[in-house]
Amino acid sequence: MRNDVPLILSLDNHGIPHRWITWQRACFYHAKDLIAWTLGEREFTFYGGISRHTGKRSSITAKSIIAIKGRPLASSGYRQIPPLCNRELFRRDHHMCAYCGGQFGLPKLTRDHIKPVSHGGLDVWMNVVTACRNCNGMKRNRTLEEAGLELLYAPYAPNKAEYLILTNRKILVDQMEFLKQHVAAHSRALELTGEPV
């Protein structure tokens, strides 16, 4: 088992970021001749069994970024708003409470609805921010005006590339450089830098 190998960034054959895949999945695409092209400075070689006919050991070398053959992703799929979950929300907001500005660990963070659900607010990226338990407890189910609070930063819905940055804590430098090209210049996701593995 190769636990030291980071996730591989997969793209459609037009270069649109798609998803993170395991090295096993990358080997599957290579073995089935489904790789359109590759990018990235890092490559990883994986070894299989020894052929009893040739006596040679099989191997597959995968790059850190691979484009998969087939139909390109629909542009609507790329623009589709990714699913909302606390881990990515907290990373989007850099673990910073939108009300007091403190940075906290996961146990002290909550998802706060700017317009409370009880007032018709939706559970969507544009209506939620990271809040510490103390501030969320003070706000309760009130609007900002009712609670006398102001936001320190504005919420936003990440695009597909931003979401890929938010979901992976071990992004290689070459993968991050590629994803940055698909992210708006003002995105807070750009402040998240992957640690080289």
Side-chain angles (χ1 to χ4, degrees), residues 114-182:
I114 300 166
K115 180 178 181 182
V117 175
S118 61
H119 288 67
L122 301 176
D123 191 33
V124 295
W125 286 99
M126 294 301 292
N127 189 47
V128 295
V129 290
T130 299
C132 69
R133 292 195 180 279
N134 187 44
C135 287
N136 201 350
M138 286 190 312
K139 181 175 177 281
R140 299 192 306 263
N141 66 342
R142 299 181 291 176
T143 65
L144 295 175
E145 296 77 24
E146 292 169 341
L149 294 170
E150 290 184 12
L151 290 173
L152 298 177
Y153 55 81
Y156 71 92
N159 69 18
K160 180 74 174 232
E162 288 173 292
Y163 190 72
L164 289 170
I165 292 170
L166 295 172
T167 58
N168 187 352
R169 297 187 70 98
K170 294 184 177 179
I171 301 173
L172 297 173
V173 172
D174 54 357
Q175 294 169 334
M176 181 63 88
E177 290 304 314
F178 182 86
L179 288 171
K180 281 181 180 179
Q181 299 171 37
H182 297 272

Side-chain angles (χ1 to χ4, degrees), residues 9-18 36-37 39 65-68 72-73 78 178-179 181-182:
L9 178 60
S10 72
L11 319 172
D12 74 3
N13 61 1
H14 287 262
I16 303 299
H18 184 224
W37 46 274
L39 283 176
I65 303 169
I66 60 174
I68 310 300
L73 294 173
Y78 181 74
F178 182 86
L179 288 171
Q181 299 171 37
H182 297 272

